[in-house]
Structure formats: C-alpha cells, structure tokens
Amino acid sequence: MRARFTLADIQQHALAIVDRDGLAGLTMRSLAASLQTGAMTLYNYVDSREALEELVVDAVSALVEIPEPTDDWLADTRAVATALWRTFRAHPAAIPLVLTRRTSSRASLAPAEALAAALARGGMDGVDLFVAFRTVSAFVMGIAQNELAGPLSREDDATSAAQRVATLAPDALPTLTKIAPVGATFTGHEFERGLTIVLNGLVHTPRPPASTGQASGLS
C-alpha cells in the first residue's frame, strides 16, 4: 500500500504547529488534524513523541542555508554560524528541541558538519577542533535564546528592567547598574559583535604543542 504521507509532509506540518502554538501544541491529535487524518494513522510513520520531536529538529536543520565553502575559514565559520542563528530565530519555539533532542539523520547533521569543517580548515584538529566547535555552537544557541527570552526580570520592556536593576543596590551591583541602561537602549548587531569576540578568541588562543606520547592531562 502506498504511504499517504511522506516524512517531509509530517515534518512540515509538525514544525508549523510548533511555530504557531508552541511545543505544548504539538500532539499526535493536533498533527493528525493538520494532516486531515486519524491520530492512529500517524503511528505508522512516527512511533513516539520523542520521534516526532526529532522530526521537528530535522525540519529546522533542513532549513539552514549552508553557504558554499571558500578558502577563508574564518569567513566560512562566521557564515555558517550566522545561517544557524537566523534559522533558530525564525523558529524560536523549536530551540528547546534543538538543544535537547539528538538526531542521527544526515540532513540534520549537515549544518554541524559545515561548521566543524570550516573550523578544521583553520588548522584545528583533535581537542582544539572539538572545543572550538562546541564554543561557537553554544554561542549561537545561547544568544538566540537570550534574544528571544528578553530581559531576565518580570518587566515587559528592557527600560523598566534596567531601572529596576539600578534601584536594587547600585553600591553592591555597580557593574550591572552601569550596563543595564546599555541593554535597554542597545539596538546594534549584538549577534555579529558577539560572534566577532568569539572568533577573535579562536584566532588568538595559543594552541598546545602536539603530543609526544606522554600523558597530556586531558583524561
């Protein structure tokens, strides 16, 4: 019997539900309604909630516009990181799944491969490559979450949050009091500036000499 749906169909409808209604809105019943079929039919394609969430991660990963590699590893790293960031910001409700769900499909791992490959073209390998990859990935995911979450307070706007911090204890929190107004009025390119700091750190971080067979202390 020919399948009524493809996994791509299910991915697209599931992601659309998450974008519209959040993670709580994604259920077998809501997905079945979107596909105009019965909930039990879906179990022929997806056997659990976890598998369904992994399909959402795959759907988000497939939307990353991976740039073609060049001979400039630093520019390539920036381009891949930026592509990831733009995709995550376009689908903020899916970010928790991207952070917590591990998939093994080729499509979902393609953006990670592009990032790792760009860093490797910069001459990194082994532990250095692994740490650099994790650092850039963590920055992209962290700043996407931070931008979408807003100020870490109960206020609805950044200005009110800054004023609250300033009135808490300016003598005990002098640095936070100083930067709080910056956060309230900052309209610059926070991601680009932050990524530049991270990449400059990669460029200028001394690398340990190659192992000579003696214990490296990394175990």
Side-chain angles (χ1 to χ4, degrees), residues 123-132:
M124 284 175 272
D125 61 6
V127 172
D128 286 339
L129 178 57
F130 174 78
V131 172

PDB file of all heavy atoms in Angstrom, residues 123-132:
ATOM      1  N   GLY A 123      42.975  24.970  10.510  1.00  0.00           N
ATOM      2  CA  GLY A 123      44.138  24.271  11.040  1.00  0.00           C
ATOM      3  C   GLY A 123      43.905  23.589  12.375  1.00  0.00           C
ATOM      4  O   GLY A 123      44.841  23.033  12.957  1.00  0.00           O
ATOM      5  N   MET A 124      42.666  23.604  12.859  1.00  0.00           N
ATOM      6  CA  MET A 124      42.382  22.960  14.141  1.00  0.00           C
ATOM      7  C   MET A 124      42.041  21.495  13.940  1.00  0.00           C
ATOM      8  O   MET A 124      41.461  21.118  12.923  1.00  0.00           O
ATOM      9  CB  MET A 124      41.220  23.671  14.836  1.00  0.00           C
ATOM     10  CG  MET A 124      41.599  24.998  15.459  1.00  0.00           C
ATOM     11  SD  MET A 124      40.173  25.886  16.141  1.00  0.00           S
ATOM     12  CE  MET A 124      39.631  26.786  14.692  1.00  0.00           C
ATOM     13  N   ASP A 125      42.413  20.692  14.924  1.00  0.00           N
ATOM     14  CA  ASP A 125      42.009  19.294  14.907  1.00  0.00           C
ATOM     15  C   ASP A 125      41.962  18.786  16.343  1.00  0.00           C
ATOM     16  O   ASP A 125      42.297  19.502  17.286  1.00  0.00           O
ATOM     17  CB  ASP A 125      42.931  18.433  14.039  1.00  0.00           C
ATOM     18  CG  ASP A 125      44.372  18.436  14.545  1.00  0.00           C
ATOM     19  OD1 ASP A 125      44.635  19.013  15.628  1.00  0.00           O
ATOM     20  OD2 ASP A 125      45.241  17.860  13.878  1.00  0.00           O
ATOM     21  N   GLY A 126      41.535  17.558  16.513  1.00  0.00           N
ATOM     22  CA  GLY A 126      41.510  16.952  17.831  1.00  0.00           C
ATOM     23  C   GLY A 126      40.728  17.759  18.849  1.00  0.00           C
ATOM     24  O   GLY A 126      39.631  18.244  18.580  1.00  0.00           O
ATOM     25  N   VAL A 127      41.315  17.905  20.039  1.00  0.00           N
ATOM     26  CA  VAL A 127      40.651  18.607  21.134  1.00  0.00           C
ATOM     27  C   VAL A 127      40.382  20.063  20.777  1.00  0.00           C
ATOM     28  O   VAL A 127      39.318  20.610  21.101  1.00  0.00           O
ATOM     29  CB  VAL A 127      41.499  18.517  22.425  1.00  0.00           C
ATOM     30  CG1 VAL A 127      40.914  19.397  23.519  1.00  0.00           C
ATOM     31  CG2 VAL A 127      41.588  17.075  22.907  1.00  0.00           C
ATOM     32  N   ASP A 128      41.322  20.713  20.118  1.00  0.00           N
ATOM     33  CA  ASP A 128      41.118  22.116  19.735  1.00  0.00           C
ATOM     34  C   ASP A 128      39.890  22.264  18.842  1.00  0.00           C
ATOM     35  O   ASP A 128      39.081  23.180  19.021  1.00  0.00           O
ATOM     36  CB  ASP A 128      42.345  22.655  18.994  1.00  0.00           C
ATOM     37  CG  ASP A 128      43.523  22.914  19.929  1.00  0.00           C
ATOM     38  OD1 ASP A 128      43.279  23.067  21.139  1.00  0.00           O
ATOM     39  OD2 ASP A 128      44.655  22.958  19.442  1.00  0.00           O
ATOM     40  N   LEU A 129      39.754  21.392  17.867  1.00  0.00           N
ATOM     41  CA  LEU A 129      38.611  21.457  16.958  1.00  0.00           C
ATOM     42  C   LEU A 129      37.313  21.202  17.709  1.00  0.00           C
ATOM     43  O   LEU A 129      36.309  21.891  17.505  1.00  0.00           O
ATOM     44  CB  LEU A 129      38.793  20.452  15.817  1.00  0.00           C
ATOM     45  CG  LEU A 129      37.635  20.359  14.805  1.00  0.00           C
ATOM     46  CD1 LEU A 129      37.366  21.713  14.173  1.00  0.00           C
ATOM     47  CD2 LEU A 129      37.973  19.321  13.736  1.00  0.00           C
ATOM     48  N   PHE A 130      37.342  20.193  18.577  1.00  0.00           N
ATOM     49  CA  PHE A 130      36.144  19.850  19.339  1.00  0.00           C
ATOM     50  C   PHE A 130      35.700  21.026  20.212  1.00  0.00           C
ATOM     51  O   PHE A 130      34.512  21.396  20.224  1.00  0.00           O
ATOM     52  CB  PHE A 130      36.422  18.625  20.218  1.00  0.00           C
ATOM     53  CG  PHE A 130      35.292  18.269  21.146  1.00  0.00           C
ATOM     54  CD1 PHE A 130      34.174  17.605  20.673  1.00  0.00           C
ATOM     55  CD2 PHE A 130      35.365  18.605  22.489  1.00  0.00           C
ATOM     56  CE1 PHE A 130      33.130  17.287  21.531  1.00  0.00           C
ATOM     57  CE2 PHE A 130      34.331  18.283  23.351  1.00  0.00           C
ATOM     58  CZ  PHE A 130      33.204  17.623  22.870  1.00  0.00           C
ATOM     59  N   VAL A 131      36.639  21.626  20.939  1.00  0.00           N
ATOM     60  CA  VAL A 131      36.294  22.730  21.836  1.00  0.00           C
ATOM     61  C   VAL A 131      35.824  23.945  21.035  1.00  0.00           C
ATOM     62  O   VAL A 131      34.864  24.626  21.415  1.00  0.00           O
ATOM     63  CB  VAL A 131      37.491  23.090  22.734  1.00  0.00           C
ATOM     64  CG1 VAL A 131      37.208  24.361  23.534  1.00  0.00           C
ATOM     65  CG2 VAL A 131      37.807  21.937  23.682  1.00  0.00           C
ATOM     66  N   ALA A 132      36.489  24.241  19.919  1.00  0.00           N
ATOM     67  CA  ALA A 132      36.081  25.376  19.086  1.00  0.00           C
ATOM     68  C   ALA A 132      34.672  25.168  18.541  1.00  0.00           C
ATOM     69  O   ALA A 132      33.844  26.082  18.541  1.00  0.00           O
ATOM     70  CB  ALA A 132      37.072  25.559  17.935  1.00  0.00           C
TER      71      ALA A 132
END
